[in-house]
Amino acid sequence: MGAYLPLFVALPLLAGFACLLLKRAAPRAAPWLSVASMLGLLALAAVAVARRDAGVTFAGGWGVSGWGGNGGADDVVFVVGIALVLDGLSRLFLLLVALVGTASAVYALRYLEPEAGRPLFHVLFNLLVAGMNGALLAGDLFNLYVFVEVASIASYGLVAYRTGGTEIEAAFKYLVLGTLASTAILVGVTVLYAATGYLNMADLGVAIAGGAVPRLPLLFAAALFLFGFGTKTAAMPFHAWLPDAHPSAPAPISAMLSGLLIKTLGIYALARVFFVVVGADEQVRLILTLLGCLSMWGGVLLAQAQDDLKRILAYHSVSQMGYVLIAFGVGTWLGVAAGLFHAVNHALFKSALFLSSGSLERLTGTRRLSEMGGIFRRAPATSVGLVGACLSIAGIPPFNGFWSKLLILIALVSAGQPVVALLAAGAALMTLVTFVKVQRKAVFGALPARLANAREVPAAMYLPVLALVVLCLLSGLLWPLGVDGVIGAAASSLRAGAGERPAASEYIESVHGRGSR
Amino acid sequence: MTFYALTFALLGVGLYGLLAKRNMLKKVLGLVILEYAVNLLLVAVGYRAGRGAPILQPGEDPAAFVAGSVDPLPQVLVLTSIVIGLGATMLLMAMVLRLHQRYGTLDVDRMDRLKG
Amino acid sequence: MRSDRDGLSAIVQVVARWTLVMIVVYGLAVACFGHLTPGGGFAGGVALACGFVLATLAFGGGSGPAAALHRRVAALEASGALAFLGLAALGWTAGHFLQAWTPRGAAFTLVSAPFLVLINLAILLKVGAGLFAGFMVLVLFDRGLAPTGGGEGET
C-alpha cells in the first residue's frame, strides 16, 4: 500500500535534474520535461484521490538488525526510513499541486520564451514542486521542515529569477524572513523532541494529548510554530514579504507561490501541526481567529491603495488566507472543511488571476491598472479568463468562491461567532469592490490609443487560465458531490467528528493502525 | 542548564544581527549565527552527560553501546540542517553581491525602492 | 602585476599541487568508508569541493584543473543526483524506494554493502559538484552569470 508515494517527490526531482543535465545539450527540452513531470504527478494524484488511498510507506525501509548477527531477515529488530504518510488531507493538496503546477508549466512554455536561462528556471520549478509534495507527505516534523526548506529555497531563487534590482531586493527580504521562520520551526521541533523523544507526528500527537509535554515548553513550541508557519502563510503581522516577493516572480511562479506555496507550507502545515500534533485548544483557535480577521481586513484595505495589478493580487492572497484561518479558528468539522474548501478554491482562482496578470502584462506592456483598459476587444480569451477568475474571488454565486465563503459564514454563525461572521462578510464585500474595479479598468472601458495594436497571447498562455476558470466553475457547481470523498475526507483526517483531543484520530490511525510496514 | 541559556543567548545575538543591523553582510552573519545556535541547541538536546560518541567499535556489545553513547539522531538532523543553512546562505550571498553591484552600497536603507 | 586569472605565486602553486592530491584522496576515502565510519558522501563531497576551491584559488579561474571542471560542473551535479534517484528507485525491486537491493553488508568490512557505497559515491558527486558550482557562481558573478539555486538537502 502506498509504495508509489516516493514518486511524488522523485518524479519532479528527476525532471529537475534532467533539465540541469541537458542545460547545454538540449535547453529546449526543459519546459517539456516540466510539463511531462507535472502531467505524471497529475495522473498519480488523480489515482490517489479516486481510490481514496491512505497509508504509510518508508523511503528506505531499512531493517535494523541485531549487530554482529548474520544479517538475515530473521535478525531484523525494527524498520527505519523516512515515513511518508498519505491521508485525506495530503491527497487533496497533492491533487491541487498537480493541477496548478500543470497549468503553470504549460503557461511557462510560451511565457518564458524570450528569456534566457530557461533550463535553470525549470530546475528550480521542479525543485519547488518536489519540496511541496515532500512537505505534504512527510510523516515526521523534521522532514516537514526539510521539505519546507527545499521548497522555500527554490522559491527564493525563483523570485530573484529576473535578477533586476527590485526583484533581488524582494528576494532578499523574502529569504531573510523565510529563513527566520524556518529557524523558528526548527527550534519548535527541537523543543518537542527534547520533551518527548519523538519526531513522528502521529506519535507526537498521541504523546502530547497524553500530557507528555509540560505546559510551558508546549506553549513555547506552539508559539514558534505559529510564527514560523504563520510567516509561510503570510498571515497579517507576518505578511511583509509577500506583497514584494509574489509580484517580483515571473507570472507562472507568482501563480505557484500565491496559489500553492502559501498553502502547502502555510495552511497545510499549520493544520497538520496544530490539529494533529500540538492540539488546537481554545487559545490556539482564538489566536487563529484573530490572525485571520487581521489578515482578512488588512489585506483587503492595503489592496485598495495599489495600482499595480500583481500587488493587488498579492494583498488579496493575504486577505483570502485570513478566511481560511478564521475557518480553522472555528475548529468544528464544518469550519475545517469550509476552510480547506476555500484554500482549494483560492489556489484555483488566484493562480488563474496571476497567470492572467502575466498575459495582461505581455499584452499591454504594463502592470499598472490605470494604464490598461478595453482589452476585451483585442484579447477576448484572456479577458474571459480574467473576468471568470475575478468573479470567483469576488464570490459571485455560480463560482466556487461564493460557496466556500458561504460555508465559512455558516460555520461561524453555527459556532456562535456572529461578529467574526459579520467581519468576514464585510471583507468579502470589499473584495467584490476591488475586483469590480479591476475588471472595469483592465477589461472594459476605453482602449488606450497606445494599445490599439495589442495582440492576443498564444493559446498556450490563455488555455491554462481558461482551464483553471472552468475548474472554478465546476467546483462551484459540483462541490456537493465532492464533500464526502475529497473535502470531507480531508477535514475528517484532521478532526474526527466533534470530539476533543486527540482530534486527528484518523490520521493517527492511518499511521499506527493500518499496515505500518 | 547554563549551556541551554548560552545557546539561547547566541540565538538572541543572531536575531539582533539579523533584524537590527542595516549592513547586509552583518545581516547575513546574524543569520548564520542564528542557524548555528539552533544546530547547537539540537546537539545539546541529544547530549547525555558522561556518555561517548555513538560509534560502534568491533567486538562491542550492542546493548552496552546503546546505553553508553549519546543520542545520535539530533546529530544527523544537524547535518541536514547545516546543508539547508549552507544553501540559503549561498543564495543570500549571491543576492548581496548582485545588490552591491547594482546600488554600490551594502546599506539596506539606502536601496529601499520597494514600498511595502 | 598578476591578475586573478593567473592564480597565486609559484610557491603556493607547488604546495597546492601536492595538497590537492591529498585532499582529493581524503575526500574519496571519507566517502568510500562512509558505511563504516562517520563521514559518507556528504562529508567527502565537502572535502572534494574544498580541494577544487583550493585549485581555483591557486591556479586561477582561467586555467588548470578547476577550469576544465567548472564548465561541466552542472552536468556532474545533475548526474550525481540522477544516479542517487536511480539507485533509490531500484530499491523498489526490494520493496521500498531507497531500500538496499544489493546483498547486506557485514559489519566492519570495507568491501561489503555495495548499495551504501554506491549511494555515498552518488552523493559525493552531487555535493562536491554542487558546492563547487555555488563557489564558482559567487566568484564569477561580476562576469554576468545568472544565479542558480543553492544546494538542496540530501544527507
Side-chain angles (χ1 to χ4, degrees), chain A residues 66-67, chain B residues 51 56 60-69:
Chain A
W67 287 285
Chain B
R51 296 197 189 176
L56 186 69
E60 199 175 345
D61 174 40
F65 166 68
V66 170
S69 47

Side-chain angles (χ1 to χ4, degrees), chain C residues 96-139:
Chain C
H96 289 290
F97 185 76
L98 198 62
Q99 192 165 37
W101 44 272
T102 57
R104 291 173 62 90
F108 312 113
T109 316
L110 178 57
V111 188
S112 69
F115 177 71
L116 282 178
V117 177
L118 290 175
I119 281 280
N120 269 332
L121 289 178
I123 296 174
L124 172 88
L125 199 58
K126 159 88 181 85
V127 172
L131 281 184
F132 185 61
F135 172 75
M136 288 315 281
V137 165
L138 291 181
V139 167

Side-chain angles (χ1 to χ4, degrees), chain A residues 180 183, chain B residues 11 14-15 18 29-39:
Chain A
L180 192 60
T183 310
Chain B
L11 270 175
L15 208 57
L18 186 61
L29 286 179
L31 194 70
V32 173
I33 293 173
L34 191 67
E35 275 164 4
Y36 278 81
V38 179
N39 293 342

Side-chain angles (χ1 to χ4, degrees), chain A residues 66-67 142 145-146 149 153 156-157 160 163-166 168-173 175-176 179-180 183 186-187 190-191 193-194 199 220 239-240 243-244 248 311 315, chain B residues 8 15 18-19 24 27 31 34-35 38 41-42 45 56 62 66 71 73-74 77 80-81 84 87-88 91-92 95-96 98-99 102-103 108 111-116:
Chain A
W67 287 285
F142 189 76
Y145 161 78
V146 169
E149 273 302 87
I153 289 179
Y156 307 144
T163 63
T166 44
I168 298 205
E169 221 182 301
F172 183 82
K173 196 168 165 186
L175 204 164
V176 167
T179 310
L180 192 60
T183 310
L186 187 57
V187 175
T190 312
V191 169
Y193 179 75
L199 284 173
F220 184 47
H239 72 289
D244 293 333
S248 295
R311 284 182 85 84
Y315 276 115
Chain B
F8 275 97
L15 208 57
L18 186 61
L19 297 179
M24 283 192 294
K27 274 184 188 291
L31 194 70
L34 191 67
E35 275 164 4
V38 179
L41 185 68
L42 259 171
V45 159
L56 186 69
V66 170
D71 186 355
L73 187 66
L77 305 187
T80 312
S81 110
I84 291 171
L91 199 56
L92 198 57
M95 287 176 193
V96 171
R98 183 54 71 95
L99 283 174
R102 188 162 297 255
Y103 297 109
V108 279
M111 62 178 66
D112 208 6
R113 291 200 300 174
L114 290 170
K115 300 280 180 286

Side-chain angles (χ1 to χ4, degrees), chain C residues 28-121:
Chain C
L28 287 173
V30 167
C32 291
F33 283 80
H35 55 306
L36 301 180
T37 59
F42 177 73
V46 174
L48 206 60
C50 288
F52 294 130
V53 169
L54 171 72
T56 316
L57 292 177
F59 302 105
S63 62
L69 190 67
H70 97 245
R71 239 171 282 121
R72 299 190 184 80
V73 81
L76 280 177
E77 181 183 2
S79 354
L82 290 177
F84 179 88
L85 281 175
L87 288 167
L90 280 174
W92 266 311
T93 59
H96 289 290
F97 185 76
L98 198 62
Q99 192 165 37
W101 44 272
T102 57
R104 291 173 62 90
F108 312 113
T109 316
L110 178 57
V111 188
S112 69
F115 177 71
L116 282 178
V117 177
L118 290 175
I119 281 280
N120 269 332
L121 289 178

Side-chain angles (χ1 to χ4, degrees), chain A residues 292-306:
Chain A
C293 290
L294 200 59
S295 311
M296 206 163 57
W297 272 94
V300 88
L301 288 178
L302 286 170
Q304 303 299 318
Q306 305 296 327

